[in-house]
Amino acid sequence: MPEDLTQKVVWITGAAGGLGSALTSEFAALGWRVAATTHRPCVDISESESIWSFVMPVEDREQVLAGAARIIQRWGAIDVLVNNAGVTADGLLARTNEIDWDTVLSVNLRGAFLCAQAVLKTMMARRSGHILNISSHAAKTGAPGQSNYAAAKSGLVGLTQSLAREVGQFNIQVNAIFPGVLPTAMTRNLPSSVLDAFTRDNVLERLNDPVEVARFIAFVAGMKNISGQVLQLDSRISRWT
């Protein structure tokens, strides 16, 4: 069973998206104090006594460090970091410009690096902490038109496993999640043929649900003995090559 989570502090990046909103609600419902950071100021996140939201571009080192310091100053610690911030800029590699390439790598991968680095000092001092990186099945199989996204999400897997080896001695856990294809803003404009293909790839012949994914992530966040793992949450079956 997971340990007592009451009044623990979780920092969720990309909290304005579909999965981010579900994560914020789930952790708050379990009694966590939730720092929900968003990338853009135009998005509203409902706040309660346990939810504190603010804008913080994850690819800006100074803002990330300042954001982590604000959370620690307010609540004393960051027990769990969920690196959920992500963007896409799809297109065939032959036509992908450097701006789209850099943006996707910066938000999805550099952002996770900066946020992880920002929380490690306090986690190492307390000899406790958990970092959860939201990766993607695209890291495992690739996806046409998503070379930048697949590269970033593959990088997250490498980051997860390397960092887990580095910080295990400090009792810090690091894991990656493949949440599956979710009905969020990121997939809203995909052609129905693409969504149908994703559905057929799942042996249960259905896509995943943000609420269920959030429930699983919150449960894993409270477990003590899992680290360096890639946890896939849909029903697609494929081998690493």
Side-chain angles (χ1 to χ4, degrees), residues 17-187:
L19 179 55
S21 297
L23 286 165
T24 299
S25 297
E26 179 67 22
F27 276 99
L30 291 172
W32 289 68
R33 290 170 173 166
V34 181
T37 58
T38 66
H39 191 266
R40 295 180 179 84
C42 59
V43 181
D44 174 51
I45 292 181
S46 297
E47 294 195 22
S48 66
E49 184 178 340
S50 61
I51 300 175
W52 178 38
S53 64
F54 57 93
V55 177
M56 189 213 67
V58 292
E59 67 273 27
D60 185 304
R61 177 183 294 275
E62 294 306 315
Q63 293 199 55
V64 167
L65 291 173
R70 288 172 67 189
I71 298 167
I72 294 169
Q73 182 178 25
R74 178 163 180 159
W75 282 326
I78 298 172
D79 297 288
V80 173
L81 165 65
V82 182
N83 277 314
N84 176 63
V87 297
T88 57
D90 294 349
L92 297 175
L93 184 66
R95 300 174 184 172
T96 298
N97 60 54
E98 291 185 21
I99 293 175
D100 286 345
W101 178 270
D102 290 344
T103 297
V104 172
L105 269 290
S106 185
V107 174
N108 291 277
L109 184 55
R110 173 182 164 83
F113 150 65
L114 291 176
C115 290
Q117 197 172 62
V119 303
L120 278 176
K121 184 177 181 180
T122 183
M123 287 183 175
M124 291 168 71
R126 298 173 69 232
R127 299 190 68 84
S128 178
H130 200 155
I131 297 171
L132 288 155
N133 296 317
I134 307 303
S135 184
S136 169
H137 195 266
K140 191 175 181 182
T141 61
Q146 287 195 317
S147 294
N148 48 10
Y149 184 75
K153 294 301 188 179
S154 295
L156 273 181
V157 172
L159 170 64
T160 295
Q161 296 180 329
S162 295
L163 184 56
R165 291 181 182 276
E166 291 178 12
V167 299
Q169 62 184 310
F170 299 100
N171 193 39
I172 298 169
Q173 300 160 256
V174 191
N175 289 293
I177 304 291
F178 288 179
V181 180
L182 304 172
T184 65
M186 191 175 286
T187 60

